[in-house]
Amino acid sequence: MLANQPRSSYRYTIDEYLTLEEKSEVRHEFYNGELYAIAGGTVNHNLLIDNVKDQLKGQTKAKGCRVFTENMKVDVLSGMYMPYPDVVLTCHDSIELLPEADDLIADEL
């Protein structure tokens, strides 16, 4: 999250965030009702993510694990914090793509 962004007193709901994010050309992370724009990646950043993803996938696929990259939001704190992590590894069967946003992962541990 970017610390130098101006803070607004308005707090978005999860539904408002998902609706705005669906239409936005800029990706935002959601934290406690606030939105934080995230910068685009560089070529080196993308190559690093791809290499990490390939390594994780190669080492965990036989165990039924799945690897996702930075284009997936993750519902980390049950509607309080939704970042776009560079890489997500999950080996839980309970992972689901939420129907209201097909790029949002909710993982019940």
Side-chain angles (χ1 to χ4, degrees), residues 4-48:
N4 61 350
Q5 289 182 324
R7 297 178 78 89
S8 168
S9 61
Y10 183 77
R11 297 273 192 240
Y12 291 89
T13 67
I14 293 295
D15 290 337
E16 289 172 327
Y17 164 65
L18 293 174
T19 299
L20 289 168
E21 194 68 359
E22 186 178 301
K23 299 173 186 173
S24 178
E25 293 182 20
V26 176
R27 292 185 304 168
H28 298 84
E29 291 190 345
F30 177 92
Y31 180 72
N32 197 26
E34 295 184 37
L35 306 184
Y36 298 87
I38 37 182
T42 63
V43 170
N44 286 337
H45 184 241
N46 191 277
L47 290 171
L48 178 63

Side-chain angles (χ1 to χ4, degrees), residues 26-80:
V26 176
R27 292 185 304 168
H28 298 84
E29 291 190 345
F30 177 92
Y31 180 72
N32 197 26
E34 295 184 37
L35 306 184
Y36 298 87
I38 37 182
T42 63
V43 170
N44 286 337
H45 184 241
N46 191 277
L47 290 171
L48 178 63
I49 290 168
D50 194 47
N51 288 334
V52 170
K53 176 195 65 129
D54 288 346
Q55 287 291 316
L56 289 171
K57 194 173 187 178
Q59 293 179 32
T60 63
K61 187 175 182 179
K63 297 176 184 174
C65 300
R66 293 184 282 175
V67 181
F68 299 92
T69 57
E70 76 275 9
N71 291 320
M72 301 294 288
K73 289 185 288 298
V74 178
D75 190 4
V76 175
L77 292 176
S78 192
M80 290 289 295

